[in-house]
């Protein structure tokens, strides 16, 4: 996993927001699903989790970077932030949505993506949705992601090429997917 500097990472999104860019596309997308609870898997500095909580959704953030979580804890100490690997952490509860925003599967060590998906699926409530957005490429082909979801008891429900729900096609270089828990 990359060695992240939470302050530098957050500063980039603060600059985007100050310039008028919408930095809440992922939160808009998830909010439209109407969940009462969300696990933000690979939450980083908490940008999405904090916005979801602001909108009244119960949220827990998990990240493997202490530096990223230090920023998240400073920005929103009222949210539960858990230091850990999503593939291994056991929170003892389930969520209506588990979210992997910001290319999370691409930042995990090669070959660990199946365990990452399984860790996400383990925290889904029956009928819950795993929502993931990441750049499509050789690091983790979309077909491999779909296969890992299927192996974890999840089926593809919907897919777009952006958080703004632009149509997805095989030529797209980014995918936002919803896989549902069938259990």
């Amino acid at each position: 996993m990359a060695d992240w500097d939470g302050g530098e990472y957050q500063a980039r999104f603060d600059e985007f927001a100050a310039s008028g860019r919408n930095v809440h596309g992922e939160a808009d997308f998830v909010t439209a699903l109407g969940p009462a609870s969300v696990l933000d898997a690979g939450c980083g500095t908490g940008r999405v989790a904090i916005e979801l909580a602001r909108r009244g959704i119960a949220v827990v953030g998990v990240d493997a970077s202490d530096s990223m979580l230090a920023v998240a804890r400073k920005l929103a100490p009222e949210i539960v932030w858990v230091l850990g690997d999503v593939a291994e952490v056991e929170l003892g509860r389930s969520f209506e949505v588990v979210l992997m925003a910001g290319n999370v599967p691409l930042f995990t060590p090669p070959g660990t993506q199946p365990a990452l998906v399984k860790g996400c699926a383990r925290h889904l409530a029956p009928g819950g949705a795993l929502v993931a957005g990441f750049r499509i490429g050789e690091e983790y082909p979309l077909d491999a992601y779909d296969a890992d979801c299927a192996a974890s008891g999840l089926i593809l429900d919907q897919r777009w090429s952006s958080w703004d729900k632009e149509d997805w096609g095989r030529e797209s270089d980014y995918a936002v997917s919803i896989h549902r828990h069938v259990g």
Side-chain angles (χ1 to χ4, degrees), residues 170-181:
R170 283 281 171 193
E171 69 285 349
S172 299
D173 64 353
Y174 193 86
V176 176
S177 306
I178 298 178
H179 284 80
R180 294 273 178 193
H181 190 280

Side-chain angles (χ1 to χ4, degrees), residues 99-117:
L99 172 66
M100 286 194 292
N103 292 310
V104 171
L106 306 182
F107 296 129
T108 61
T112 64
Q113 289 90 353
L116 171 70
V117 171

Side-chain angles (χ1 to χ4, degrees), residues 14-174:
D14 290 345
E15 288 174 21
F16 291 157
S19 74
R21 261 177 92 176
N22 178 16
V23 296
H24 298 303
E26 301 97 327
D28 294 341
F29 185 97
V30 171
T31 301
L33 298 174
S37 62
V38 173
L39 170 59
D40 188 352
C43 64
T45 60
R47 175 180 55 85
V48 179
I50 292 167
E51 182 63 17
L52 291 172
R54 189 187 71 72
R55 296 176 186 197
I57 299 170
V59 64
V60 172
V62 174
D63 203 279
S65 170
D66 203 23
S67 176
M68 299 287 258
L69 283 180
V71 173
R73 288 181 178 121
K74 182 178 178 183
L75 294 173
E78 70 282 3
I79 294 176
V80 175
W81 304 108
V82 178
L83 178 63
D85 182 338
V86 175
E88 299 172 4
V89 73
E90 180 50 62
L91 300 174
R93 63 174 285 197
S94 60
F95 299 83
E96 291 176 22
V97 169
V98 174
L99 172 66
M100 286 194 292
N103 292 310
V104 171
L106 306 182
F107 296 129
T108 61
T112 64
Q113 289 90 353
L116 171 70
V117 171
K118 188 172 188 156
C120 289
R122 181 173 61 246
H123 288 94
L124 274 177
L130 172 59
V131 178
F134 61 93
R135 184 177 33 80
I136 301 168
E138 293 179 19
E139 302 95 346
Y140 192 35
L142 200 52
D143 291 341
Y145 175 66
D146 288 342
D148 291 340
C149 286
S152 297
L154 306 175
I155 58 169
L156 180 63
D157 183 25
Q158 300 175 53
R159 177 165 287 146
W160 295 273
S161 67
S162 74
W163 293 102
D164 293 326
K165 295 187 178 179
E166 294 175 24
D167 289 341
W168 185 85
R170 283 281 171 193
E171 69 285 349
S172 299
D173 64 353
Y174 193 86

